[in-house]
Each structure stands twice: as structure tokens, then as C-alpha cells.
Amino acid sequence: MADPAESAPGSVEEEKTDRINDAELALRGINMLLNNGFKESDELFRTYRNHSPLMSFGASFVSFLNAMMTFEEEKMQVAHEDLKATERMCESENTGVIETIKNKIKRSADSQRSGVTAVDRLQRQIIIADCQVYLAVLSFIKQELSAVSLDFNPPTAYIKGGWILRKAWKMYNKCYSDITHLQEGSRRRASQQQAMPSPSLSSSSDRSRSSSPGPSPSHRPDGVSPEVLDRLKGSVSFGYGLFHLCISMVPPHLLKIVNLLGFPGDRLQGLSALTYASESKDMKAPLATLALLWYHTVVQPFFALDGTDTQAGLTEAKSILQQREATYPNSSLFMFFKGRVQRLECQITSALTSFSDALDLASDQREIQHVCLYEIGWCSMIELNYREAYRAFERLKTESRWSQCYYAYLTGVCQGATGDLEGAVSVFKDVQKLFKRKNNQIELFSMKRAEKLRSPSLSKELCILSVIEILYLWKALANCSTAKLQTMAQVLQGIDDASCAGLKNLLLGAINKCLHKTKDAIQYFHLAVRDEVGRLTNSYVQPYSCYELGCVLLNTPESAGKGRMLMLQAKEDYAGYDFENRLHVRIHSALASMSAAAQP
């Protein structure tokens, strides 16, 4: 086939545009973005925005990411308009900005035309679905920010966003099915060609026919190469996989509603699709890689998914990081995930170095800086370095637009843990002022705790207890060293306050569990389950203690039945407590893992 530039004479600009491989260019732009070349990536996509729907989507994605990094209303509006413009381009039958594709189709044989058109149609549908997902996210974010400023949380935007997501899922599912069907047909034709008789055994007439050049692997009779189909499958697999993965993490009591809306929730299928996407040559391959890292280093450890063992996920995350290290040497996001792996492996000093490096690399990306600061604060709490933790959270309280109430609470307990009780009380008063989202469980918890700690009887030890409580609730005690856990236990044993006796026993049980002192852990969990005095102020203590006790008993065959009973008790006998959904997800995962292990 002749070079397109030679076969269709035109202007220099037209020839230049004609030679562009938009799939390769889009992937290059995303790689620039992840290597902290935000401005260069934006410039590349803006330059070629009108070349094809794929480049238009790249420009809109950069705009969307910019809005997510700042939460600025103006940038969110620009992102909304850009995504809508990309949608319109994909929906238009005769848009003038994709002359390259149209010219290529005209220059192709009639037998190739239908294949190229089918690929173009599928690519556009995937992009439309992607745009709808990002528009829904923008709608949710705007609603959250409006709820903060107006103390008002109508469901309209959420219903609209949910409906948009439903439409997007249907498009992903249809495209995934169509592309899979095309791939199967392509493989079938390839195997049939390989099974054709050898030229030496064929007749002379067959030999004369076979002497003419046949279709090469990259130029099929339908005009669609296996490489193009593989990239397209990678493109749809990102959204398809994310839907499966995210829906699989919905709290069990909401699953019926979600399933009624037609959303799936197969975690393994989601991970498989994201892995396929990450290994493809599509522009979303790097994003699929980040999604896998997010799952293995953030989601799985936090929700205790796939049982309590996170080692397999960490091994996978380390493998991904090692494979991508040469491609993303300056990526703040990949450095951030490296820090997450190190933190989960209890290499806290190394993790702090990685998060600090990521913070420096993200000098122009405020939201990435904030997640790095958040992790620096957490690593400092894990090390019981309350002063450094206070500095990180205090900066977040000042700079971030996201959950200032929660950041203020973390600032207060860390400040109090240093011994600055007067400063801590002042910050706890700020928590009350910053409490805006009444339906936000974390802010509600922060406000209630701050209100209790504002009392004249506040002590350094009670603030340290509050730090340990946060470490427990966010499953970070397992990241603490033996020495730090022993220090925490000593502080807790010295606290004599009837109002927090149940919480104290729950935390001592969790610490002894981390120290592999199983008998002591069981004893403390039993005490916490029986505690009634602190039930009103620490409403989550009893169900969480039931769950923890159940987890310990499940590890031994002779007590596994009792452990399962305690799990069900924690799920069914308690309601309306703090972080109820969080515990239900963990119980659901533990019971599912137990059922899977029991199967032959």
C-alpha cells in the first residue's frame, strides 16, 4: 500500500497531519504527563486536539485532571466544556476535524472500508463512555463542594451522575463484547490461513494463486489488524475493569440497589481487565497501571479485601513498579506508590524518603502534593513523631479544600500528643467550625471526638490514645514496629478513664494481635465486647471487637465456627455506629474468603 502522503497530494500541513499515528501520540502525551511534564503534555494534546477524537479526548483528560488537582470552579467548568466538546466530536457523523481518517478510508479498498469504519465507531463509543464517566465525577465533586459551602446536600446531582454512569457502563459492556468478538474472528481467520495446504502439495493452479502476495498479518482483508484490535481492547478494558473493581467494593447492603441499576461487581474480572489494559499500547495503559497500584497498595490493605493477607498484592505492586521504573523515572505518582509499598512493608524511614521525593517532584501539582503530605503525616504518626505529623496535617488543614474538618482533628490530636494541650484545644474548636458535611462519616466522627477532647480534663495521654485509635481505624497498626507498638501499649495501660475503657481494651487487643500475642489479644477483645459504659461515646467499639475476636478465632480450625458466629453477630446485632459500612465490607470479605477456602 502506498504512503498516504504520496497518494493524496495536498498542503504540507495536511501531509504532516496525515502521517500522525494518533494512538502513539496520545500514549506519548500521557507518559509526558506522568513524568511530571504536565505543561508539555497539555501543549501536545492542545496542538493536535482537532486531529482526531482520540487526541481531543487526550486534551479533555488533561483538562479533567487539572480540575481534579485544584478543585477550582473555573477549571472544573473548563473540563466540563472540553469533555462535552469531545463528546460532540465523537457523536458527529460528518465532523470536519477527522479528515485523516476519512481520507484513509477513501484510499482503502472497499473490503477494508467496513473494518476501519467499525474500529472508528468503537473508538468513538469508548471515548464517549470515558467522557461520561469523567462528567459524572465532576458532577459528584461539584456537589460535594457545594454541600460544604451551603450545608446542603440534595440528591439530584447524585441521581443524575448515577444515570450517566449507567449509560457509560452499557457502552463499555457493548464495546467490550464487540471487540472480543472481532478478536476471536481475527484469530480464527489466522488459524485457518496457517492450516492451508503447503504450496509443494498443491496443484499448479494453486501454486500460481499462492505465488501472488497474500494479506500480511498487519493487513487483514477486513482492514483491521490484530494490533489495532489489541489496542482497542486495552482502551475499553480500562473503563470496563474499573467499573467491575469499584462496584465489587460497594458495601454489601447497597449491592442489591447497585445490581438493580445494572452494574456488575466481579473483582477478579476487573483486575484481569485492568491488567490487560496496562499491558496494551493504548493511551490509557499507564492509567490502568496506576489503578492497579492504587488497588494493591491502598484499597486492598484498607478494606482487608481477599482476606487479611496483603502480601500477594504487595508483590504484584513491587513487580509493576520495577517494570515501569525506566519509563517513569521522574513520576511523582510512581514515587508515591513506591512509598506506599515501603510503608506497608514497615520500612517507614524509606517510605518517608519516597513521599518527600514525590512531594518535591510534584511542585506544580497541588493535589498530588497533598496526598504526599497526608502520607508523611501518617508515617510520622506510625513512628510516634507527633511534631512532624502535626506539621503535615496543619499544612493540609490550611491548604486543602477537601475535608478540612478531618485534617483539623488530626492536627489537634498530634499537637496534643506533643504536650501542647492549649494549642490542641484551640484546634478542636476549629473542628466544630469546619464541620460542614453532616452525611460524611469521617467528618462526623472527627467532630464528635473533638467535642469530647475539648474538656478541661484533656491530657497528653488521651491525645496519644486518639492517635492510636486513628491508626487502628485506618489499619495502620500493622505498619508499626514492635518497639512502637510496645510504647503504645504502655501509654494505654496507664490511662484510667472509665469513659474510654472499651476503646482502650479494643486498641490493646489490636496491638497484641500485631505483636502475635494471641491469648492477650483475645482477652482484651473479650473485655471490649462486654464493655457497656463507653457504648454511647464509642459506638463502634463492640461490633469492631466482635469482628476482631472473630478474625483471631478463624485462624484456628477448632475455633473457626465460633469465629464465624462472632462475625455474623458483629454484622447483624449492631447498627448505626461509626464506620459501619467499613466494617461490613471487611466482614463480607472475610466470610467470602472463608467460603472460598472451604471449597474443594
Side-chain angles (χ1 to χ4, degrees), residues 177-280:
S177 177
D178 288 350
I179 295 165
T180 301
H181 180 73
L182 286 171
Q183 283 183 311
E184 288 169 355
S186 178
R187 284 193 288 268
R188 191 163 53 248
R189 283 190 298 274
S191 63
Q192 286 171 352
Q193 286 177 0
Q194 289 175 358
M196 287 175 67
S198 171
S200 61
L201 300 176
S202 61
S203 65
S204 58
S205 60
D206 289 336
R207 281 197 296 270
S208 64
R209 281 196 299 268
S210 66
S211 63
S212 60
S216 70
S218 60
H219 291 89
R220 299 297 182 190
D222 58 6
V224 183
S225 70
E227 294 81 9
V228 168
L229 288 176
D230 288 346
R231 184 192 66 76
L232 214 54
K233 181 72 168 287
S235 180
V236 73
S237 291
F238 177 64
Y240 180 84
L242 267 186
F243 258 97
H244 271 290
L245 194 59
C246 292
I247 298 302
S248 75
M249 295 182 289
V250 168
H253 71 282
L254 294 178
L255 271 178
K256 288 183 180 178
I257 300 171
V258 169
N259 290 334
L260 280 174
L261 289 171
F263 292 125
D266 188 322
R267 187 179 305 146
L268 292 178
Q269 192 167 357
L271 289 170
S272 175
L274 285 171
T275 301
Y276 187 101
S278 72
E279 294 169 355
S280 74

Side-chain angles (χ1 to χ4, degrees), residues 123-417:
Q123 179 71 81
R124 289 172 184 239
Q125 288 180 344
I126 295 166
I127 291 171
I128 290 170
D130 288 336
C131 288
Q132 288 179 342
V133 169
Y134 300 143
L135 285 167
V137 171
L138 284 174
S139 178
F140 293 145
I141 297 295
K142 284 182 180 178
Q143 185 61 39
E144 281 294 304
L145 295 176
S146 297
V148 170
S149 59
L150 299 174
D151 196 19
F152 172 62
N153 198 20
T156 313
Y158 296 115
I159 294 170
K160 182 181 177 183
W163 185 253
I164 293 171
L165 287 176
R166 185 172 183 269
K167 285 169 60 183
W169 163 247
K170 285 188 170 182
M171 294 184 79
Y172 282 136
N173 197 34
K174 179 70 166 58
C175 290
Y176 189 87
S177 177
D178 288 350
I179 295 165
T180 301
H181 180 73
L182 286 171
Q183 283 183 311
E184 288 169 355
S186 178
R187 284 193 288 268
R188 191 163 53 248
R189 283 190 298 274
S191 63
Q192 286 171 352
Q193 286 177 0
Q194 289 175 358
M196 287 175 67
S198 171
S200 61
L201 300 176
S202 61
S203 65
S204 58
S205 60
D206 289 336
R207 281 197 296 270
S208 64
R209 281 196 299 268
S210 66
S211 63
S212 60
S216 70
S218 60
H219 291 89
R220 299 297 182 190
D222 58 6
V224 183
S225 70
E227 294 81 9
V228 168
L229 288 176
D230 288 346
R231 184 192 66 76
L232 214 54
K233 181 72 168 287
S235 180
V236 73
S237 291
F238 177 64
Y240 180 84
L242 267 186
F243 258 97
H244 271 290
L245 194 59
C246 292
I247 298 302
S248 75
M249 295 182 289
V250 168
H253 71 282
L254 294 178
L255 271 178
K256 288 183 180 178
I257 300 171
V258 169
N259 290 334
L260 280 174
L261 289 171
F263 292 125
D266 188 322
R267 187 179 305 146
L268 292 178
Q269 192 167 357
L271 289 170
S272 175
L274 285 171
T275 301
Y276 187 101
S278 72
E279 294 169 355
S280 74
K281 294 183 179 180
D282 187 70
M283 66 176 285
K284 284 175 279 186
L287 306 179
T289 300
L290 291 176
L292 288 168
L293 288 170
W294 164 74
Y295 173 78
H296 289 308
T297 67
V298 179
V299 177
Q300 188 182 25
F302 181 73
F303 285 112
L305 300 173
D306 304 322
T308 55
D309 181 23
T310 61
Q311 191 54 50
L314 287 180
T315 302
E316 183 65 25
K318 286 167 74 174
S319 175
I320 292 170
L321 288 168
Q322 189 174 7
Q323 290 169 21
R324 305 298 196 278
E325 193 172 12
T327 309
Y328 305 105
N330 302 314
S331 173
S332 56
L333 284 170
F334 278 84
M335 184 62 70
F336 167 82
F337 283 117
K338 180 180 178 181
R340 281 292 305 178
V341 169
Q342 290 166 333
R343 177 186 142 179
L344 291 167
E345 291 187 327
C346 305
Q347 300 172 20
I348 305 304
T349 302
S350 298
L352 278 166
T353 301
S354 294
F355 290 132
S356 296
D357 289 345
L359 184 69
D360 293 337
L361 287 168
S363 56
D364 297 326
Q365 300 157 10
R366 192 172 70 187
E367 286 306 312
I368 296 178
Q369 282 193 321
H370 287 170
V371 295
C372 293
L373 276 172
Y374 184 69
E375 288 294 338
I376 288 170
W378 272 90
C379 285
S380 299
M381 282 200 298
I382 287 167
E383 287 286 275
L384 306 185
N385 187 343
Y386 305 120
R387 198 167 301 281
E388 287 302 315
Y390 157 73
R391 287 174 183 163
F393 293 131
E394 206 260 343
R395 183 175 162 187
L396 283 169
K397 169 180 169 283
T398 305
E399 294 181 9
S400 178
R401 290 186 66 192
W402 203 256
S403 201
Q404 289 177 305
C405 171
Y406 169 55
Y407 292 141
Y409 176 69
L410 293 176
T411 302
V413 294
C414 289
Q415 191 168 4

Side-chain angles (χ1 to χ4, degrees), residues 53-92:
L54 196 61
M55 294 306 292
S56 176
F57 172 68
S60 296
F61 176 77
V62 173
S63 182
F64 167 78
L65 202 60
N66 197 18
M68 291 298 95
M69 287 180 180
T70 60
F71 295 129
E72 291 176 11
E73 189 173 342
E74 183 181 344
K75 289 183 179 178
M76 284 196 284
Q77 186 58 37
V78 169
H80 183 276
E81 291 169 1
D82 285 347
L83 288 164
K84 280 292 186 183
T86 298
E87 264 193 326
R88 286 193 296 271
M89 177 186 288
C90 291
E91 289 168 350
S92 173

